[in-house]
């Protein structure tokens, strides 16, 4: 039975124009019921409608509320520090390799917590441009508002991260990979194997047996929005295993790919989030050197 | 000592409840002042609850036929309450210190394994403490005080949340 996330179903975009499409509430409810997820169906039934369609403004407010809560998870799991731990060595290797300019793009940034936290700390250095990209204009608008309010040196763009005017030096994402079906992951990683790109770092939930239980406890304790509680557990159930991610990442054939501290190398609780990393072979030695002893945590395809 | 310890516990719990009530409602990066303000609000609401319990106790003692015996009965119930609350509070404080002091991965371990679940079981722990305090006595005032004290502690977070943090900042 397919595991569905409500947040994937309540908004829809035209793949060609990226224009927002109306979402018929009854269709979403039927899909969730067909997936034997009555609870999720009830959550969607409570969303206000505009005729037969879900009300766009109500959906946007709901998603902003859920993402605002979700940021707490990122804060408590130290996601900005975790990204910095990988990004600082990658960018040091890129600088050494003469890569310029240094542009970091967050794919599916939501409210842009990681980008804004990295911008706030300044840990990546003043020569790094930070950009968050998401298809959802409501989330991008909120991310930009928050960045302006705190005068953070970063910006947010609504659209396709792979269709920006300039490619990224480094692509990152946080909790995005499980939204792709396993057979679509290869396309996602291949899209990042472009000339100007030196590396990618994508964090997602480690697919351990305990992950759904841990997600349930955590979301029950920390989240108020029923949508957030539901999707948090669904995310853990949908998470891709280490081998699936490594095989998909390897399709970016111009990169060396690794998992950092994958499940079998770490305590299942501590490995709640772990990254898949791709880096140009010319930069790998320097990246390892910058990581120091932590480089032992890098595990490539078997 | 027992009434003071219970009062301090209620106030500290109010601080944390205020903090929790405000979490997930502010997506800014720098929000220390916001969190401090929320904690003070929790303290204020918690203090109001504690004052209500104190007033109830004072009235109960004032109208008792034997004020001394009733006071002893209430203190004894408070002691039973502490038997449940103090170990829990100690473990929570220890976990919190660990979360703040340990390196990134270890502190995540503490968060996922301890602080999250502790938040989840906190209402049950408070309820058990109230029940343990009440069942050891036949005095209906003790039952009432135990019930009101438990309810006043548990209502701080939802009250602060509803009053100040029902929507994102």
């Amino acid at each position: 039975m397919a595991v569905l996330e409500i947040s994937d179903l309540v908004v829809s975009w035209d793949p060609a124009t990226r224009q927002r499409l109306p979402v018929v509430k009854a269709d979403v409810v039927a899909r969730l019921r067909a997936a034997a997820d009555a609870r999720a169906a009830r959550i969607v039934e409570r969303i206000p409608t505009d005729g037969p369609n879900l009300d766009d403004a109500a959906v946007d407010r709901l998603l902003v509320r859920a993402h605002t809560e979700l940021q707490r998870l990122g804060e408590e799991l130290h996601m900005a520090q975790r990204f910095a731990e990988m990004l600082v060595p990658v960018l040091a290797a890129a600088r050494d390799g003469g890569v310029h300019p240094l542009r970091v793009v967050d794919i599916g940034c939501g409210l842009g917590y990681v980008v804004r936290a990295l911008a706030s700390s300044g840990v990546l250095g003043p020569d790094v441009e930070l950009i968050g990209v998401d298809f959802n204009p409501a989330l991008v608008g909120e991310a930009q508002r928050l960045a302006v309010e705190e005068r953070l040196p970063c910006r947010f763009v609504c659209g396709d991260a792979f269709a920006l005017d300039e490619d990224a030096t480094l692509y990152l994402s946080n909790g995005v990979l499980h939204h792709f079906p396993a057979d679509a992951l290869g396309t996602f990683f291949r899209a990042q194997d472009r000339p100007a790109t030196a590396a990618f770092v994508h964090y997602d939930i480690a697919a351990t047996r305990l992950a759904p239980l841990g997600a349930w406890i955590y979301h029950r304790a920390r989240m108020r929005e029923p949508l957030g509680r539901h999707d948090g557990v669904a995310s853990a159930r949908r998470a891709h295993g280490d081998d699936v991610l490594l095989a998909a990442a390897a399709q970016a054939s111009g990169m060396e790919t690794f998992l950092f501290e994958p499940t079998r190398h770490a305590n299942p609780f501590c490995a709640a989030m772990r990254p898949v990393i791709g880096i140009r072979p010319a930069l790998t030695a320097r990246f390892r050197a910058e990581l120091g002893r932590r480089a032992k945590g890098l595990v490539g395809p078997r | 000592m027992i009434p003071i310890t219970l009062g301090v516990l209620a106030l500290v719990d109010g601080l944390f409840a205020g903090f929790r009530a405000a979490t997930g409602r502010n997506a800014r990066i720098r929000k220390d002042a916001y969190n401090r303000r929320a904690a003070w609000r929790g303290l204020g609401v918690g203090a109001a609850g504690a004052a209500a319990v104190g007033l109830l106790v004072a009235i109960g003692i004032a109208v008792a036929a034997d004020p001394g015996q009733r006071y002893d009965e209430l203190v004894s119930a408070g002691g039973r309450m502490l038997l449940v609350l103090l170990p829990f509070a100690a473990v929570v404080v220890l976990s919190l210190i660990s979360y703040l002091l340990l390196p990134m991965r270890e502190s995540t371990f503490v968060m996922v394994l301890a602080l999250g679940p502790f938040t989840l079981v906190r209402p049950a722990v408070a309820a058990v403490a109230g029940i343990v305090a009440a069942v050891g006595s036949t005095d209906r005032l003790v039952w009432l005080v135990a019930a009101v004290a438990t309810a006043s502690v548990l209502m701080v977070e939802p009250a602060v949340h509803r009053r100040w943090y029902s929507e994102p900042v």
Side-chain angles (χ1 to χ4, degrees):
Chain A
M1 194 71 75
V3 178
L4 302 173
E5 285 183 60
I6 298 167
S7 52
D8 286 342
L9 305 179
V10 294
V11 282
S12 179
W13 313 97
D14 185 304
T17 64
R18 302 313 305 176
Q19 290 298 305
R20 190 166 185 163
L21 300 172
V23 177
V24 179
K25 183 196 253 190
D27 292 349
V28 178
V29 170
R31 235 182 121 182
L32 289 165
R33 289 205 188 281
D37 196 342
R39 190 174 144 248
R42 283 195 298 276
I43 293 169
V44 173
E45 277 168 348
R46 288 198 293 268
I47 300 175
T49 50
D50 180 8
N53 304 325
L54 292 172
D55 181 75
D56 288 351
V59 168
D60 287 346
R61 281 195 301 274
L62 177 62
L63 291 178
V64 167
R65 278 205 308 274
H67 277 260
T68 304
E69 277 196 348
L70 189 63
Q71 179 169 316
R72 187 181 179 192
L73 188 144
E75 290 165 354
E76 291 191 347
L77 298 185
H78 306 293
M79 288 314 301
Q81 280 174 265
R82 286 171 189 267
F83 272 104
E85 184 186 35
M86 294 295 114
L87 265 53
V88 168
V90 168
L91 292 169
R95 280 187 195 97
D96 264 21
V99 179
H100 185 80
L102 298 173
R103 183 177 298 111
V104 173
V105 170
D106 182 348
I107 304 170
C109 66
L111 293 184
Y113 163 65
V114 171
V115 163
R116 288 184 293 113
L118 290 171
S120 174
S121 69
V123 66
L124 301 185
D127 58 338
V128 177
E129 186 184 5
L130 285 159
I131 304 169
V133 184
D134 201 290
F135 282 128
N136 189 320
L139 298 179
V140 168
E142 183 67 1
Q144 187 64 40
R145 183 188 72 81
L146 289 160
V148 168
E149 197 176 274
E150 295 192 281
R151 296 178 185 180
L152 301 174
C154 57
R155 65 188 170 94
F156 294 90
V157 176
C158 185
D160 182 349
F162 300 127
L164 298 176
D165 291 340
E166 291 161 307
D167 292 339
T169 314
L170 186 150
Y171 288 102
L172 67 83
S173 72
N174 184 23
V176 166
L177 296 180
H178 67 268
H179 288 278
F180 292 97
D183 58 8
L185 281 170
T187 307
F188 174 73
F189 284 112
R190 278 198 304 276
Q192 294 164 72
D193 188 6
R194 46 186 67 208
T197 301
F200 56 75
V201 177
H202 299 289
Y203 263 96
D204 203 15
I205 304 158
T208 67
R209 284 184 184 178
L210 290 169
L213 174 65
W216 183 86
I217 293 172
Y218 187 86
H219 285 81
R220 199 74 213 164
R222 293 285 190 259
M223 304 284 179
R224 294 183 183 88
E225 288 297 333
L227 181 147
R229 286 179 170 180
H230 173 275
D231 283 6
V233 178
S235 301
R237 292 175 63 201
R238 294 172 81 188
H240 297 295
D242 292 351
D243 292 338
V244 172
L245 282 183
L246 273 176
Q251 291 189 43
S253 54
M255 306 267 192
E256 275 197 75
T257 50
F258 310 93
L259 281 173
F260 183 66
E261 296 186 338
T263 315
R264 63 181 184 279
H265 284 252
N267 180 305
F269 290 105
C270 287
M273 298 288 280
R274 52 91 177 89
V276 57
I277 298 164
I279 186 163
R280 295 284 171 207
L283 305 177
T284 304
R286 181 64 205 273
F287 172 56
R288 284 182 175 278
E290 288 285 330
L291 270 179
R293 292 178 61 181
R294 285 169 298 159
K296 288 178 187 169
L298 293 172
V299 176
R302 277 181 284 189
Chain B
M1 194 63 188
I2 287 174
I4 291 171
T5 308
L6 280 169
V8 169
L9 265 184
L11 295 179
V12 173
D13 186 76
L15 276 171
F16 284 113
F19 169 79
R20 282 196 307 274
T23 55
R25 285 294 187 260
N26 185 343
R28 292 187 193 110
I29 302 300
R30 308 175 196 119
K31 51 189 172 220
D32 288 349
Y34 167 88
N35 287 332
R36 270 197 303 275
R37 185 168 194 171
W40 284 118
R41 283 171 169 163
L43 178 68
V45 174
V53 174
L55 186 65
L56 183 63
V57 168
I59 292 170
I61 290 172
V63 300
D66 184 347
Q69 189 196 351
R70 175 157 267 181
Y71 179 78
D72 290 345
E73 189 79 18
L74 283 163
V75 169
S76 175
R80 290 193 295 278
M81 207 173 232
L82 285 178
L83 283 177
V84 178
L85 296 179
L86 276 182
F88 181 71
V91 178
V92 170
V93 169
L94 204 64
S95 302
L96 202 59
I97 291 169
S98 305
Y99 175 73
L100 294 173
L101 296 182
L102 286 172
M104 183 173 70
R105 283 179 182 71
E106 289 74 10
S107 80
T108 300
F109 181 80
V110 172
M111 174 55 64
V112 174
L113 205 61
L115 289 173
F118 287 163
T119 305
L120 202 58
V121 301
R122 174 180 161 276
V125 172
V128 168
I131 291 166
V132 167
V135 295
S137 172
T138 53
D139 187 337
R140 289 187 182 180
L141 179 75
V142 170
W143 300 354
L144 182 63
V145 170
V148 171
T150 303
S152 73
V153 163
L154 292 180
M155 55 73 72
V156 174
E157 184 177 339
V160 173
H161 182 75
R162 240 193 311 275
R163 170 67 181 80
W164 288 287
Y165 304 105
S166 56
E167 285 297 321
V169 175

